[in-house]
C-alpha cells in the first residue's frame, strides 16, 4: 500500500512531521513563559513534553513497522546511516562551541581582565582582580555568589570516567553478540550499558547537589560555575537522552527485532553513545583536570 | 494533469485535499510550500523595510519610536535571511535536486516535511516577539540581527521569543541540510558521477555542509544568552569573568559563513542559467567546483573581520584581514568562470540571463567594497556606517535574491508547464535592477561621509541622499507586486511548453530535469535513469 517507486521506499503521507513542528513550538512557548514567571508556562511545557513522547513513539513506531515489513532496501539503510552521521557531526560542533568558549575565556578574556599583555584592561575596570584558573575570586562579585572551592579531578569525576568508558566497552560487547546472533549477549550487554549510564547519571546528580550545597558552586558563581554547568549540563542531558534510546533498543532487542545484518537502529544509538563518551573524555580533561 | 500517462505504470496517485500538503512526503509539494512561504516572508520583510525607509525620509522622528525602529530593522533582517532567502533556496533544492540527479525523491521525505513545517511556527514565534512588547512585555528586540549583549540581555520577553525563533530555525536548517547532503551523496542515478553533477547540486552540497557546522554554534551562542538572561550565569558579563566579545565571536563564526549560505545556492543557479543562454558548457567546471570548496573552507576562518573595532590584538586582526582579502580569489574565480562561459557564446537575453549578467556586474561591485572593508585601517572608518549597509545589500540582493529570481524564471516553465510572460519578465528585471541601484548606490556616499547605521534619525546634511534611497526603495518594493503577478499568471495559464523549454538547456553538466515532462510527474524518477 505504498506509493512505491522501484526500490527506494518513499513513505506515505505522514502526520508526524506536523505533530513534530507543533510539539517543538509548544515546548518553546511554554519555556519562554516559564522563564519569565508567567503562570501557564510549566503546564504548556508539560503538554509539549507529553506530545514529544507521543511523537517519538508514533514516528519511530512507523519506521520500525516499515523496517520489519522489509520495505527498506540497502540504499534506504545508507540514507539513515548518513543522516545519523551528519546529525552527530552537528552535535559535535555544538560541543565544540562550548569548549571553544572555555578556551577563549581562559586564555584571552580572563588574562586581559587580570592585567596581562598590552590589551589588559584591569586598570580601567577592576584594579584588584588577579587571574588564576579556576577563578573563585570574581572581578566584581556584587551580582554573584563566589564559590568556596573548585571541582577536583579525583573522586566522583574519576569514577564517572571509568564508568562511562566501561559502558562503551559493554556496548561494543553487546554489538559483538548481535553480530554473532547471540541475543543473550546482546541483551546482557545492553542491560549493563544502561546500568552504567544510570550510575553515571546518579553520581553526577549527587555531585551537583554537593556543589550547590557545600561548595557554593552554582550557575551564579561567575564564569567558573557558568562554564562548568554549561559543559557538564549539556553532556548530562545527552547521557540522559542516550540512556532512553538504549532502553528503547533493549526493548526491541528483547522482542528480537534485530538480525546480524539489519540493525541500523542499534548502531545509530551506539554511535551516539560513543560520541557522548568522547565528549566526556574531553570534558574530564578540560573542565576537571587542566 | 497530462503526465500520468507518460510516467506511470504504477498508479501515480496523489493524496488530495489539505492532507496532501500538511502530511506531505513529496519533494515537489514540499518545495512548493517552501517557495510560497518564502514569497510571503519576502513581502513581510519588504513591508518592514518600507517602514524603515519611510521613517528615514527626513531627519527627526516621524512614524515610529527608536525602539520600534530597531525592532523593525531586526525583524527585517531575520525575516529576509531566514524567512525569504534560505527557504527559497531550500525550496529550489527540494524541487530540483531529485530531478537533477535522477532520484525518486529526497532521501528522507518525512524529515523533509518536518524541516518545512517548523518554518511557519518559527515565523509565528517571531511575530509573537514583535507583538508582546506592545502588551507590557518590556523592550522589544532592538539589537539588530546580531543580538549583541549587553543590549540583548536587557530586552524584555520578546528577546526570549526571538532566541527560540532562532532555535526552531536552527533545527529546521540542520535537518534540511542533513537531508540535502544525504540526497546528493546517496541518491544519484547510476552514472551521475561527482564531476557530472550539476553546479547547483555542488553548491547545495557545500551549503548543507556549512549549515551543519555553523547552525549549532549559533544555537549554542543564543542558548548562552538565554542562560545569562534567566539563570544567573555570566558568560557575557565581565564582572563575573565573562566577556561580551565572546558572543560576537560566536555570532560571526556563524554569521560570516551564513552569508555564503545565502550566496552559494544562487551561484549554483547561475551555473545552470549562464551555460543555457550562452549555449556553451560551463567554463572550467572543475576548478570552479574547487574554488567553491576553497570559498567554503576559507569562509569558516575569517569571521572576525566584523569585529575589527572591538579591540582584538594586532596579530589576530592582521590574520583576519589577510584571510578576508584572500576570499576575493575564489569569489573572483567564480565570476570569471561565468564571464568566460559567456565569452563567444551565442547568447540570448531572456529574463533569467538578464538577471545572471546583472548579478555578475553588481556582485563584483560588492566584492570591491568587501575588499575595502577587509582592510583594517579603512574599516575603522567604514564600520557601522551605511557603507557597510550598501556593501552587504549589493552582495545579498544580487548575490542571493536575484539569483533566486533567475532560478524562478528559469524553472517556472518546468514547474508549471507554462511559459511566463517574457515581456513582463523583462520589465520586472529592469524595474528591480534600476530601483535597487537607486536605493543602495547612494548609501555608499552617506556611509563614507559618516552616517551611522541602525539609528532612526540622522543629520540633516544627509537628507537628499536618503530621499533618493527611499524613493528607490519604494519602487523596488512595488516591483515585487509585478513579480507576484507574473507568477500567478504563469501558474494559471500561458503558452504550453515541452520537456525542454530552453533550447540551450542541455549543454555541459545540465541536470536531468529536462528529460522529464513539464510539469513533471508526481514522482520524478520511478526507475533511476542511467547517465552516460
Ligand atoms: C570579496 C568578498 C567579500 C569581502 C572581502 C567582504 C568583507 C566584509 C567585511 C570586512 C565586512 C564587515 C564590515 C564592517 O562591519 O565594518 C562585511 C560585512 C558584510 N558582508 Fe561582506 N565581504 C565579501 C563578500 C560578501 C558576500 C558574498 C556577502 C553575502 C552574500 C557579504 C555579506 C556581508 C554582510 C551581510 C555584512 C554585514 C553584516 C552586518 O554587520 O550585519 N559579503 N563584508
Ligand atoms: Cu563576513
Amino acid at each position: 500500500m505504498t506509493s512505491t517507486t522501484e526500490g527506494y521506499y518513499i513513505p506515505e503521507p505522514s502526520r508526524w512531521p506536523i505533530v513534530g513542528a507543533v510539539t517543538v513550538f509548544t515546548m518553546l512557548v511554554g519555556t519562554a513563559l516559564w522563564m519569565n514567571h508567567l503562570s501557564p508556562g510549566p503546564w504548556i511545557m508539560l503538554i509539549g513534553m507529553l506530545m514529544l513522547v507521543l511523537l517519538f513513539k508514533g514516528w519511530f513506531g512507523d519506521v520500525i513497522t516499515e523496517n520489519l515489513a522489509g520495505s527498506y532496501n540497502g540504499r534506504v539503510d545508507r540514507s539513515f546511516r548518513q543522516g545519523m552521521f551528519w546529525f552527530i557531526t552537528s552535535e559535535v560542533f555544538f560541543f565544540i562551541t562550548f569548549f571553544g568558549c572555555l578556551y577563549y575565556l581562559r586564555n584571552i578574556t580572563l588574562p586581559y581582565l587580570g592585567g596581562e599583555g598590552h590589551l589588559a584592561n584591569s586598570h580601567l575596570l577592576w584594579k584588584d582582580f588577579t587571574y588564576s584558573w579556576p577563578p573563585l575570586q570574581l572581578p566584581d562579585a556584587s551580582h554573584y555568589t563566589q564559590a568556596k572551592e573548585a571541582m577536583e579531578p579525583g573522586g566522583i569525576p574519576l569514577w564517572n570516567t571509568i564508568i562511562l568508558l566501561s559502558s562503551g566497552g559493554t556496548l561494543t560487547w553487546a554489538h559483538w553478540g548481535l553480530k554473532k546472533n547471540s541475543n543473550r549477549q546482546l541483551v546482557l550487554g545492553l542491560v549493563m550499558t544502561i546500568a552504567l549510564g544510570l550510575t553515571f547519571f546518579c553520581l553526577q546528580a549527587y555531585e551537583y547537589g554537593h556543589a550547590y550545597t557545600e561548595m557554593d558552586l552554582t550557575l551564579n558563581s561567575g564564569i567558573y560555575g557558568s562554564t562548568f554547568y554549561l559543559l557538564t549540563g549539556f553532556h548530562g542531558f545527552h547521557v540522559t537522552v542516550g540512556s532512553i534510546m538504549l532502553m528503547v533498543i533493549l526493548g526491541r532487542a528483547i522482542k528480537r527485532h534485530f538480525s546480524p545484518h539489519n540493525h541500523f537502529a542499534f548502531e545509530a544509538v551506539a554511535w551516539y553513545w560513543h560520541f557522548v563518551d568522547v565528549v566526556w573524555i574531553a570534558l574530564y580533561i578540560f573542565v576537571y583536570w587542566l | 494533469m497530462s503526465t500520468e500517462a507518460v510516467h506511470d505504470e504504477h498508479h501515480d496517485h496523489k493524496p488530495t485535499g489539505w492532507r496532501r500538503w500538511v502530511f506531505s512526503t513529496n519533494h515537489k509539494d514540499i518545495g512548493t510550500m517552501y517557495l510560497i512561504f518564502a514569497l510571503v516572508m519576502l513581502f513581510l520583510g519588504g513591508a518592514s523595510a518600507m517602514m524603515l525607509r519611510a521613517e528615514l525620509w527626513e531627519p527627526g522622528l516621524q512614524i515610529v519610536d527608536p525602539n520600534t525602529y530597531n525592532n523593525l530593522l531586526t525583524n527585517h533582517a531575520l525575516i529576509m535571511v531566514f524567512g525569504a532567502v534560505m527557504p527559497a533556496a531550500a525550496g529550489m533544492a527540494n524541487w530540483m535536486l531529485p530531478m537533477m540527479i535522477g532520484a525518486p525523491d529526497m532521501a528522507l521525505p518525512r524529515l523533509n516535511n518536518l524541516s518545512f513545517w517548523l518554518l511557519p511556527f518559527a515565523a509565528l514565534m517571531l511575530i509573537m516577539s514583535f507583538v508582546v512588547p506592545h502588551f507590557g512585555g518590556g523592550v522589544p528586540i532592538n539589537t539588530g540581527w546580531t543580538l549583541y549583549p549587553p543590549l540583548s540581555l536587557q530586552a524584555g520577553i520578546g528577546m526570549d521569543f526571538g532566541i527560540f525563533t532562532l532555535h526552531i530555525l536552527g533545527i529546521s536548517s540542520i535537518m534540511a541540510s542533513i537531508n540535502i547532503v544525504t540526497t546528493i551523496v546517496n541518491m544519484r542515478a547510476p552514472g551521475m558521477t561527482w564531476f557530472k553533477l550539476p553546479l547547483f547540486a555542488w553548491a547545495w552540497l557545500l551549503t548543507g555542509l556549512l549549515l551543519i557546522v555553523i547552525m549549532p554554534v549559533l544555537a549554542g551562542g543564543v542558548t548562552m544568552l538565554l542562560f545569562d538572561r534567566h539563570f544567573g550565569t555570566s558568560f557575557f558579563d565581565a564582572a563575573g569573568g565573562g566577556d561580551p566579545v565572546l558572543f560576537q565571536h560566536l555570532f560571526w563564526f556563524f554569521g560570516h559563513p551564513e552569508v555564503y549560505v545565502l550566496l552559494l545556492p544562487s551561484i549554483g543557479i547561475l551555473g545552470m542559467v549562464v551555460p543555457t543562454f550562452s549555449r556553451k558548457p560551463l567554463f572550467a567546471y572543475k576548478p570552479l567546483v574547487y574554488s567553491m570548496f576553497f570559498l567554503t573552507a576559507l569562509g569558516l576562518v575569517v569571521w572576525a573581520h566584523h569585529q575589527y573595532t572591538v579591540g582584538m590584538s594586532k596579530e589576530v586582526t592582521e590574520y583576519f584581514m589577510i584571510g578576508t582579502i584572500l576570499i576575493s580569489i575564489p569569489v573572483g574565480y567564480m565570476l570569471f568562470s561565468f564571464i568566460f562561459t559567456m565569452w563567444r557564446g551565442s547568447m540570448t537575453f531572456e529574463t533569467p540571463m538578464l538577471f545572471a549578467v546583472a548579478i555578475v556586474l553588481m556582485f563584483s561591485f560588492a566584492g570591491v567594497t568587501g575588499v575595502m572593508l577587509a582592510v583594517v585601517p579603512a574599516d575603522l572608518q567604514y564600520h557601522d556606517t551605511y557603507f557597510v549597509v550598501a556593501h552587504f545589500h549589493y552582495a545579498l540582493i544580487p548575490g542571493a535574491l536575484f539569483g533566486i529570481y533567475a532560478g524562478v524564471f528559469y524553472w517556472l516553465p518546468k514547474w508549471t508547464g507554462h511559459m511566463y510572460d517574457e515581456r513582463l519578465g523583462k520589465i520586472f528585471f529592469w524595474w528591480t535592477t534600476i530601483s535597487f541601484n537607486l536605493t543602495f548606490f547612494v548609501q555608499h556616499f552617506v556611509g563614507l561621509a559618516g552616517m551611522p547605521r541602525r539609528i532612526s534619525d540622522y543629520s540633516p546634511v544627509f537628507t537628499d541622499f536618503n530621499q533618493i534611497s527611499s524613493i528607490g526603495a519604494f519602487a523596488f518594493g512595488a516591483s515585487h507586486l509585478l513579480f507576484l503577478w507574473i507568477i500567478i499568471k504563469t501558474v494559471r495559464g500561458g503558452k504550453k511548453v515541452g520537456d525542454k523549454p530552453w533550447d540551450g538547456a542541455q549543454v555541459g553538466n545540465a541536470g536531468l530535469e529536462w528529460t522529464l515532462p513539464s510539469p513533471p510527474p508526481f514522482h520524478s524518477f520511478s526507475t533511476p535513469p542511467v547517465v552516460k
Side-chain angles (χ1 to χ4, degrees):
Chain A
M1 233 243 43
T2 52
S3 48
T4 41
T5 49
E6 257 158 51
Y8 202 87
Y9 178 79
I10 309 292
E12 284 286 296
S14 161
R15 70 170 80 101
W16 300 119
I18 183 81
V19 174
V22 176
T23 303
V24 171
F25 183 73
T26 312
M27 286 202 321
L28 291 180
V29 169
T31 313
L33 296 180
W34 165 66
M35 286 187 317
N36 288 280
H37 312 290
L38 296 169
S39 52
W43 293 108
I44 299 178
M45 274 168 82
L46 196 68
I47 295 171
M49 283 179 209
L50 289 177
M51 285 165 67
L52 192 71
V53 174
L54 293 180
L55 170 75
F56 279 121
K57 200 168 156 349
W59 191 329
F60 289 138
D62 279 2
V63 174
I64 292 167
T65 315
E66 287 160 9
N67 184 19
L68 293 180
S71 309
Y72 296 162
N73 63 9
R75 198 178 275 252
V76 176
D77 190 57
R78 270 211 300 285
S79 287
F80 283 143
R81 277 162 200 279
Q82 292 181 9
M84 189 66 191
F85 172 81
W86 292 117
F87 172 67
I88 291 181
T89 309
S90 80
E91 288 265 47
V92 167
F93 278 93
F94 190 64
F95 277 98
I96 286 182
T97 308
F98 298 144
F99 282 109
C101 289
L102 185 64
Y103 174 87
Y104 184 88
L105 290 161
R106 285 181 65 168
N107 293 299
I108 296 175
T109 298
L110 286 161
Y112 286 177
L113 278 173
E116 274 172 44
H118 67 286
L119 285 173
N121 44 30
S122 55
H123 58 291
L124 297 171
L125 295 168
W126 296 283
K127 290 195 181 55
D128 312 324
F129 177 67
T130 50
Y131 164 56
S132 65
W133 187 267
L136 296 181
Q137 173 230 359
L138 298 177
D140 173 0
S142 50
H143 292 96
Y144 300 98
T145 46
Q146 312 210 61
K148 290 208 281 269
E149 51 184 314
M151 279 289 163
E152 292 297 327
I156 291 182
L158 186 61
W159 278 111
N160 262 348
T161 310
I162 297 168
I163 289 170
L164 217 50
L165 284 181
S166 357
S167 80
T170 53
L171 190 58
T172 307
W173 186 69
H175 195 188
W176 289 342
L178 177 50
K179 277 206 222 145
K180 62 175 196 237
N181 216 357
S182 153
N183 210 53
R184 209 186 61 87
Q185 184 175 337
L186 169 64
V187 169
L188 200 63
L190 279 171
V191 169
M192 290 195 298
T193 314
I194 294 169
L196 289 167
L198 292 181
T199 317
F200 174 92
F201 183 85
C202 294
L203 286 177
Q204 190 78 347
Y206 172 80
E207 189 194 46
Y208 276 11
H210 177 73
Y212 257 79
T213 51
E214 323 273 307
M215 299 160 66
D216 277 350
L217 178 61
T218 67
L219 279 171
N220 194 239
S221 29
I223 201 61
Y224 179 63
S226 302
T227 48
F228 174 77
Y229 285 109
L230 181 76
L231 278 150
T232 55
F234 270 112
H235 176 265
F237 173 71
H238 280 73
V239 172
T240 315
V241 173
S243 304
I244 295 172
M245 298 198 304
L246 283 170
M247 290 179 206
V248 175
I249 293 297
L250 175 64
R252 292 189 60 195
I254 292 172
K255 287 194 200 150
R256 294 181 182 268
H257 277 186
F258 303 118
S259 70
H261 300 292
N262 180 357
H263 54 263
F264 163 70
F266 176 91
E267 280 181 86
V269 173
W271 294 349
Y272 192 81
W273 193 255
H274 289 312
F275 152 70
V276 173
D277 232 1
V278 172
V279 172
W280 174 262
I281 293 172
L283 235 144
Y284 184 70
I285 295 174
F286 292 112
V287 176
Y288 288 96
W289 190 8
L290 292 181
Chain B
M1 290 204 179
S2 62
T3 55
E4 248 98 315
V6 189
H7 229 263
D8 241 354
E9 316 88 57
H10 337 266
H11 42 124
D12 198 30
H13 72 121
K14 266 196 275 246
T16 47
W18 60 272
R19 283 192 183 80
R20 166 172 174 193
W21 303 98
V22 177
F23 295 166
S24 178
T25 46
N26 179 281
H27 73 102
K28 297 193 194 80
D29 285 353
I30 295 172
T32 305
M33 291 193 290
Y34 262 115
L35 289 169
I36 293 172
F37 177 80
L39 197 59
V40 173
M41 288 296 126
L42 184 68
F43 277 93
L44 208 61
S48 45
M50 295 301 106
M51 289 178 69
L52 300 176
R53 281 318 317 175
E55 171 59 44
L56 294 175
W57 178 254
E58 24 176 65
L61 301 181
Q62 280 76 237
I63 307 176
V64 288
D65 65 279
N67 265 332
T68 310
Y69 177 90
N70 280 11
N71 185 221
L72 283 172
L73 178 84
T74 311
N75 288 345
H76 163 68
L78 292 177
I79 291 172
M80 285 305 192
V81 168
F82 293 102
V85 173
M86 286 170 72
M92 303 239 174
N94 257 294
W95 250 101
M96 301 317 299
L97 285 177
M99 296 209 291
M100 282 182 152
I101 64 176
D105 205 296
M106 297 292 279
L108 304 161
R110 277 177 290 223
L111 195 69
N112 198 15
N113 202 30
L114 175 57
S115 312
F116 169 74
W117 276 105
L118 284 169
L119 292 179
F121 289 97
L124 195 61
M125 191 78 107
L126 191 66
I127 290 170
M128 284 163 70
S129 88
F130 172 72
V131 171
V132 283
H134 299 283
F135 295 91
V139 180
I141 314 178
N142 54 359
T143 55
W145 78 303
T146 50
L147 306 176
Y148 282 2
L151 194 55
S152 53
L153 300 177
Q154 294 156 6
I157 183 174
M159 182 58 79
D160 299 320
F161 285 124
I163 289 172
F164 284 144
T165 304
L166 290 176
H167 278 127
I168 303 181
L169 291 167
I171 302 172
S172 159
S173 337
I174 289 175
M175 289 191 310
S177 305
I178 289 175
N179 209 346
I180 287 170
V181 171
T182 306
T183 302
I184 297 172
V185 174
N186 192 34
M187 305 287 283
R188 281 167 295 132
M192 179 56 88
T193 53
W194 284 110
F195 283 110
K196 280 191 184 148
L197 210 55
L199 199 74
F200 182 68
W202 271 117
W204 248 113
L205 180 70
L206 292 169
T207 307
L209 293 177
L210 267 181
L211 280 170
I212 290 171
V213 171
I214 63 176
M215 270 301 176
V217 180
L218 176 69
V222 295
T223 304
M224 288 157 74
L225 268 186
L226 205 65
F227 285 4
D228 268 17
R229 285 167 56 78
H230 293 289
F231 303 125
T233 53
S234 64
F235 295 114
F236 307 127
D237 177 10
D243 190 346
V245 178
L246 174 60
F247 182 83
Q248 302 189 5
H249 283 289
L250 294 177
F251 182 85
W252 287 114
F253 182 85
F254 150 81
H256 182 77
E258 172 69 17
V259 303
Y260 296 128
V261 165
L262 303 172
L263 169 73
L264 279 171
S266 291
I267 292 285
I269 291 170
L270 285 196
M272 314 315 303
V273 168
V274 173
T276 299
F277 297 99
S278 309
R279 292 166 183 76
K280 264 177 67 193
L282 204 51
F283 179 84
Y285 164 85
K286 263 195 195 178
L288 180 53
V289 171
Y290 296 142
S291 75
M292 279 172 28
F293 269 101
F294 185 44
L295 181 78
T296 307
L298 204 57
L300 283 169
V301 292
V302 297
W303 71 89
H305 59 225
H306 296 271
Q307 307 157 238
Y308 287 149
T309 55
V310 85
M312 297 178 293
S313 74
K314 184 166 128 291
E315 295 75 16
V316 171
T317 314
E318 275 167 0
Y319 158 77
F320 280 107
M321 168 163 115
I322 293 168
T324 305
I325 295 174
L326 282 180
I327 290 190
S328 41
I329 297 173
V331 170
Y333 194 90
M334 290 173 185
L335 295 176
F336 278 117
S337 257
F338 295 137
I339 293 171
F340 280 104
T341 307
M342 296 179 205
W343 181 255
R344 296 200 165 158
S346 55
M347 298 210 295
T348 50
F349 295 94
E350 285 84 352
T351 311
M353 186 61 166
L354 284 176
F355 273 111
V357 175
I359 290 166
V360 171
L361 282 171
M362 297 188 293
F363 185 71
S364 311
F365 199 79
V368 173
T369 53
V371 176
M372 292 168 71
L373 291 167
V375 179
V376 178
D379 183 68
L380 296 183
Q381 164 77 12
Y382 309 148
H383 178 65
D384 259 349
T385 69
Y386 264 75
F387 191 79
V388 177
V389 177
H391 158 71
F392 68 72
H393 282 91
Y394 266 84
L396 291 175
I397 291 182
L401 204 59
F402 282 5
I404 286 164
Y405 294 168
V408 167
F409 284 104
Y410 185 57
W411 283 312
L412 207 49
K414 173 59 55 184
W415 297 338
T416 60
H418 304 136
M419 190 43 109
Y420 62 87
D421 185 329
E422 188 61 59
R423 196 178 56 92
L424 290 184
K426 289 206 166 94
I427 294 175
F428 173 65
F429 165 76
W430 287 108
W431 187 353
T432 44
T433 305
I434 292 170
S435 56
F436 157 72
N437 280 290
L438 198 61
T439 313
F440 292 104
F441 197 72
V442 287
Q443 294 186 0
H444 291 104
F445 303 119
V446 286
L448 290 178
M451 179 170 159
R453 62 190 282 211
R454 288 179 174 158
I455 294 182
S456 51
D457 189 4
Y458 55 84
S459 155
V461 295
F462 301 126
T463 311
D464 295 348
F465 278 10
N466 270 289
Q467 294 192 341
I468 296 176
S469 218
S470 289
I471 291 170
F474 298 141
F476 188 68
S479 71
H480 287 75
L481 296 173
L482 177 60
F483 184 51
L484 187 64
W485 170 240
I486 298 174
I487 294 175
I488 293 176
K489 205 168 157 233
T490 317
V491 171
R492 288 188 20 202
K495 203 169 84 91
K496 289 242 178 315
V497 294
D499 296 5
K500 217 177 74 162
W502 311 114
D503 58 359
Q506 270 182 314
V507 295
N509 292 47
L512 301 176
E513 75 265 34
W514 308 114
T515 62
L516 289 171
S518 315
F522 194 61
H523 294 293
S524 306
F525 288 99
S526 302
T527 33
V530 177
V531 184
K532 280 180 240 52

